[in-house]
Amino acid sequence: MSEAVVETNGPALALRGVRRAFQQAGAPDLSVLDGADLTIDAGEIVALVGPSGSGKSTLLQIAGLLERPDDGEVVLAGQAASGLGDGGRTRMRRRYLGFVYQYHHLLPEFSAEENVIVPQMVAGVGRKAARERARALLDRMGLATRGHHRPGQLSGGEQQRVAIARALANAPRVLLADEPTGNLDPNTADAVFNEFLRLVREEGLAALIATHNPELAARMDRVVTLREGKVVRA
């Protein structure tokens, strides 16, 4: 019997007392997250900052249900994930979450439009509706004329715009981004980030965005820092 995903009222994303440590050969366990707490409401864009190795990527992996914490809870749209098996967690990811990484990870054999269509069809959306959604998102990212180009025919900025459109394809409630413009030159990064923020706000998403760039962080609604395994205000 499949596990139901039941949505209730509450924040879009909540991390409660999340702990994560990694085993090291011949050494004590390395504690990365030590009781991390964070709540993000719908429509709120939050920057996650901290030095390299502070655990930002681990926190995003746990928030995205790609990794289980050693202790603590992840709650999406009021639904706790701890009691779910792999199938239930997959359904929650598909229903509530979108991901953008530093590298676009587009499927090279497919066009830009097809890259945005594929996750929708995996989620059960019909091809016609998926194509219409893909074209609308690409148009909003300034790529209306580039939909039939493969990733190798696109610039770095265009590839990342496609990746952003793909992340939003299934209308997630929460967007998680790990240095989404970190692989681009400064001018391109600024232009792509402007479009990224605009689209996230238009969609009314909750977003948690890890970045090393203080100028980008300052443009978000709130900045939090990961320090000694805990989330604190910047």
Side-chain angles (χ1 to χ4, degrees), residues 49-51 54 225-234:
V49 302
S54 61
T225 300
L226 194 54
R227 183 180 300 141
E228 296 181 353
K230 292 181 170 57
V231 177
V232 299
R233 292 186 67 87

Side-chain angles (χ1 to χ4, degrees), residues 2-204:
S2 65
E3 299 159 297
V5 175
V6 180
E7 183 174 332
T8 60
N9 293 327
L13 170 67
L15 304 180
R16 298 171 181 164
V18 170
R19 299 180 186 276
R20 185 73 174 99
F22 296 94
Q23 293 183 343
Q24 302 183 102
D29 289 354
L30 175 64
S31 178
V32 177
L33 301 176
D34 185 20
D37 296 295
L38 178 64
T39 298
I40 303 178
D41 293 322
E44 185 180 25
I45 302 175
V46 177
L48 175 66
V49 302
S52 296
S54 61
K56 297 189 301 297
S57 294
T58 298
L59 187 144
L60 288 174
Q61 290 284 99
I62 289 173
L65 306 185
L66 296 170
E67 186 174 329
R68 291 182 184 269
D70 298 324
D71 195 13
E73 185 61 270
V74 179
V75 182
L76 287 165
Q79 171 73 18
S82 63
L84 298 175
D86 290 343
R89 289 165 68 87
T90 297
R91 283 186 286 277
M92 284 189 77
R93 281 196 302 273
R94 192 175 296 156
R95 180 171 179 179
Y96 295 125
L97 293 165
F99 300 88
V100 182
Y101 298 100
Q102 181 173 350
Y103 299 96
H104 56 78
H105 298 300
L106 298 174
L107 299 172
E109 67 273 24
F110 293 133
S111 69
E113 183 179 292
E114 289 167 340
N115 267 277
V116 184
I117 288 173
V118 167
Q120 297 180 75
M121 295 190 67
V122 170
V125 178
R127 178 175 289 274
K128 180 179 179 182
R131 181 178 292 111
E132 290 175 354
R133 171 75 170 164
R135 288 177 177 175
L137 286 169
L138 291 173
D139 181 42
R140 291 163 69 187
M141 291 301 292
L143 295 172
T145 63
R146 307 291 278 168
H148 296 297
H149 291 72
R150 293 186 179 183
Q153 299 171 304
L154 303 174
S155 69
E158 289 172 333
Q159 291 171 348
Q160 198 65 345
R161 288 183 176 97
V162 176
I164 292 166
R166 179 184 59 188
L168 300 181
N170 285 327
R173 291 280 300 275
V174 178
L175 182 69
L176 302 173
D178 196 352
E179 298 285 354
T181 58
N183 196 40
L184 305 175
D185 67 80
N187 289 335
T188 302
D190 188 65
V192 171
F193 197 74
N194 282 337
E195 295 177 0
F196 175 63
L197 283 183
R198 175 182 54 79
L199 192 53
V200 169
R201 292 193 189 283
E202 287 175 356
E203 294 278 314

